[in-house]
Amino acid sequence: MAYSLKQQVSKPERFAGGHRLCAGCGAGLAVRGVLRALKPEDKAVITNATSCLEVSSYLYPYTAWQDSYIHSAFENAGATAGGVEAAYRVLKKKGKINDTFKFIAFGGDGGTYDIGLQSLSGAMERGHDMVYVCYDNEAYMNTGIQRSSSTPRFTDATTTPVGKVIPGKPQNKKDLTAILAAHNIPYVAQTTFIGNFKDFHEKAEKALYTEGPAFLNVMSPCPRGWRYEAEDLAEICKLAVDTCVWPLFEVESGVWKLNYEPKKKLPVEDYLKKQGRFKHMFKAGNEWMIEEAQQFVDEKWESLLARCK
Amino acid sequence: MARKDRMSGNEAVAFAMKQINPDVMGAFPITPSTEIPQYFSTYVANGEVDTEFVAVESEHSAMSTCMAAQAAGGRAITATSSAGMALMWEMLYVTSSARLPVTMALVNRALTGPININNDHSDSMGARDSGWIQLYAETNQEAYDNFVQAMPIGENKEVRLPVMVCQDGFITSHAVENIELLEDETVKKFVGEYEPEHYLLKKENPLAVGPYDISNYYMEHKKQQAEAMKHAKPVILEVARRFEEISGRSYGFFEAFEMEDAEVALVLIGSSAGTAKETVKQLRREGKKVGLVKVRVFRPFPMEELAEALKVVKAVAVMDKAESFSACGGPLFAEVRSALYDLENRPKAINYVYGLGGRDICVEDFAMIYDQLFEIGRTGVAGEIYRHFGQREQEV
C-alpha cells in the first residue's frame, strides 16, 4: 500500500505527548516515526540507552511509552534488547507467549557511536531479531553538549570549544552506518526527517519487518546543541540531505542503494550557516574550514555513489 | 533416589543449571569459571535444555542480557569470575535495583592489579554492597546445593533479589570430588516454575523497567531494597529446611563446627574451612577447645546469629580472603566485629587477611593462629588487630 502521511498520523500514538523532551528535538520525532511503522496489532518492547530520551520519557512514576520499556544503562542497549529477545524466543518455544513482539532499541550517538558500540556490534553479530535506532544528534546532549565520535569536524562543543589555537572539534565524524553495514546484517539504513516522513517510514517498516538484526541511523537535530530555532528542525534536516552531509541510503543484504540524489547538490555552507555551533566557521580568515568541510562531504558522497552503483 | 558421582565444582554447578533448565544464559568466558558455560553449551547443543544460550561479547553484556531476560519474564543465569564480575559491576547494581532475581555462579578469583588467576574473595567481597544475596560454598557438594537453593530464595515475592552463588576458584571449581546429585525431577519440583507478577512480555499489561529516579523516589526504592535483604533471612532458612527434606543435607547462615564449648574460634568463608576443620579435629584430640564458624550467607549478613554463636569464646580470629584497604581490616572482620559489639562479654577479635591470589594456608598455619588466640585469651591483650598471614616480609 502506498505511503500516506495522513493515514499514518491518524494511528494512535504509542509515545505519549507528555514526555519532557525539548521543543524542536529530533529524538521524539525519531521515536514516533519508528513506532508508527509498527502494525497496531503487534506488541513491542522498547529498549533505551541512558540518554536525553530516557530521562525525558520515563521519569518515575510516569512513562510516555505505551509499549513495554526497559532502560538498564548507557552502554548496553544492544545487549539489553538482545536479552529481551532471547527470553521471547524461549518463552515462545515453551508456549508461554503467543503474541508477536517486536524489539526496538533507541540510543543517542554517545550511546551508539561511542560507549555502546561494542554491545551494539555484539548484538548485531549474534543476529537478534531487533531494530537498533540511533537518534544521532552529534554530541552528548544529555550531559551538556560534549563532543562524541559522531560530532562533525569544527563543531563548537563544550569539550571541543572554539579557542585561540583549536577551532572546534579536530576530527571528522565517524561513519557508523558503514560500520554497521560491514556487519553484513539484513538491513542497514540512514534517514532523517524531510517532508512527509516517507523515506523514514519505509525504512522503519523494512527494519521492523525484516527478520534478524537491523540498524537505522536517524539524523535527529538538537536545538540546544546545534543552536537553531525549534521550528527550523525539518529545514535543517532537508539541508543536510540536499548538501549531501547526510545522504539517504540503505544497505539490504549487502546491496547499497541510494534513496535520494539532490537535483542540485547545495554547498555545505547552506547547512552550516543555519546552526550556531558552526558560527565561527563564517568569520573572516576561517574560509579554509568551510572548504575543508566541503571537501570531506564531497569525498564521502563520491565514495557512497561508487558503493551504490 | 540421589545418585553419587564425581565432579568438579564447575561441572556440579553446570549440572544444577541443566536440571533447572533456565530460560536464558548470558555467557562470556573467564578463568576459572569458563567451564560452566562450556558444560552448559554442550547441554544446549545436545538439546538437553531449552535455554537460549547467548554467547555475548563481554561480561557487561552478559549481565545486561540476564537482567533484560529476567525483566522479560524469563529465568536468567550466568557464570563469571574476577575481572569479569568487575566489568559487570554497574549491571550488578542495575539488576538488584530493578529487583530481578538473576542467578550467578561466581567462581571466586583475585581481582586484577596485578593480574592473577587464583582464588581469593576480592571479587565478590568488593560487590558486597551491590544488593545481591551471597552464598558461599566450602565444597563442590555445597556449590551444587547452594545453586539449587538460589532461585527459590531470590524469586521469593518478599525478596526478589539476584543471588550470587560463590565457590573458590580452582580449589573447588577444578578439583574433582565425590558428590551426591539429586534427581532431575526432584530439582525441577524444588525450584519450581518462575512466575513473576509483572514482566515485559506480558500480553495485556506493558511494563516499564529502569526509570530515571529523581530524589523524590530514589531513597524509597533503596529502602525497599534494604528491606528485601532483611526479608531474605527467613526465606533462606525456609528454603534450607525444604532442601534438607529432599537431600538430607542441612544448611543455615553459617556452620558452627565444635563451637558448643569452644574457648577460641576462627571465622572464615569458603574452602579454607576444610583445612581449618582438620586443624580443629587435631587440636581437639590434644584437648584444646577450639571451634570454627564457616560463613555461608554473607549477604544478608547474619549479625545476631553470629554474635550468639561467638559469645562463648574468649578470642576470635576473623579470616579475610580479601583486602579492602580500609587500613583497619578486611570486609568479613568489619562485619563480625560489629556483630560482637552488642555482646555483654564480647570476645577479643583479631583479623587475618590471608590467601590472597591463591596463597596457600595449611593445618600448621591454622594451628599457629589458634595458639595465638589462646594467648590472647590468657592475657586479655589482642595486640595488633589487623594482620596479614602467609606473605614474605622481605622485599621480593
Side-chain angles (χ1 to χ4, degrees), chain B residues 77-248:
Chain B
I77 57 164
T78 192
T80 197
S81 295
S82 181
M85 174 191 261
L87 187 56
M88 290 178 179
W89 202 260
E90 176 190 28
M91 295 310 297
L92 297 178
Y93 281 77
V94 173
T95 305
S96 63
S97 74
R99 305 292 297 280
L100 294 165
V102 170
T103 309
M104 168 157 67
L106 182 74
V107 182
N108 285 108
R109 165 185 152 186
L111 274 175
T112 293
I115 187 167
N116 175 293
I117 63 166
N118 296 304
N119 169 247
D120 67 35
H121 299 152
S122 50
D123 45 10
S124 56
M125 280 296 154
R128 68 191 178 274
D129 299 339
S130 63
W132 283 60
I133 290 169
Q134 291 191 347
L135 308 178
Y136 289 83
E138 175 190 338
T139 60
N140 301 4
Q141 182 73 60
E142 290 184 7
Y144 171 83
D145 291 351
N146 282 345
F147 203 90
V148 172
Q149 293 173 67
M151 285 174 197
I153 296 168
E155 292 168 6
N156 183 289
K157 285 182 172 39
E158 299 298 312
V159 179
R160 284 194 284 223
L161 287 175
V163 183
M164 206 177 279
V165 180
C166 308
Q167 61 167 315
D168 284 347
F170 294 110
I171 302 168
T172 60
S173 69
H174 283 63
V176 174
E177 285 182 347
N178 289 329
I179 191 166
E180 207 169 275
L181 300 165
L182 298 163
E183 288 300 324
D184 294 357
E185 275 316 304
T186 311
V187 173
K188 263 188 186 46
K189 208 173 142 214
F190 181 79
V191 175
E193 285 286 304
Y194 180 47
E195 278 161 358
E197 287 165 81
H198 307 289
Y199 51 99
L200 296 169
L201 298 171
K202 198 168 188 178
K203 195 176 168 186
E204 297 303 344
N205 192 4
L207 173 70
V209 176
Y212 173 38
D213 218 18
I214 58 169
S215 324
N216 282 2
Y217 298 100
Y218 184 83
M219 202 156 164
E220 283 71 15
H221 288 150
K222 289 293 133 185
K223 170 84 187 324
Q224 287 174 351
Q225 260 181 277
E227 289 295 322
M229 198 53 92
K230 286 191 207 163
H231 295 155
K233 282 185 71 177
V235 173
I236 288 167
L237 294 181
E238 172 57 19
V239 171
R241 192 193 57 73
R242 288 205 296 118
F243 186 78
E244 191 173 0
E245 284 172 13
I246 61 163
S247 68

Side-chain angles (χ1 to χ4, degrees), chain A residues 139-191:
Chain A
Y140 291 82
M141 299 311 183
N142 195 28
T143 40
I145 323 168
Q146 293 81 23
R147 64 86 87 181
S148 77
S149 62
S150 167
T151 306
R153 192 169 170 217
F154 303 120
T155 297
D156 183 16
T158 55
T159 49
T160 52
V162 176
K164 283 181 184 141
V165 292
I166 303 173
K169 192 196 174 201
Q171 304 86 1
N172 277 311
K173 182 182 170 91
K174 187 193 275 183
D175 190 352
L176 182 67
T177 316
I179 293 168
L180 266 294
H183 283 69
N184 295 315
I185 53 176
Y187 190 71
V188 172
Q190 188 166 291
T191 184

Side-chain angles (χ1 to χ4, degrees), chain A residues 58 68-69 71 75-76 94, chain B residues 23 64 90 200 207 209-210:
Chain A
Y58 184 20
S68 275
Y69 172 94
H71 157 255
E75 67 280 48
N76 62 350
K94 286 181 170 176
Chain B
D23 297 308
S64 305
E90 176 190 28
L200 296 169
L207 173 70
V209 176

Side-chain angles (χ1 to χ4, degrees), chain A residues 47-68:
Chain A
T47 302
N48 204 175
T50 310
S51 59
C52 282
L53 177 62
E54 189 266 322
V55 301
S56 307
S57 67
Y58 184 20
L59 184 66
Y60 189 87
Y62 305 106
T63 175
W65 303 85
Q66 306 288 336
D67 293 286
S68 275

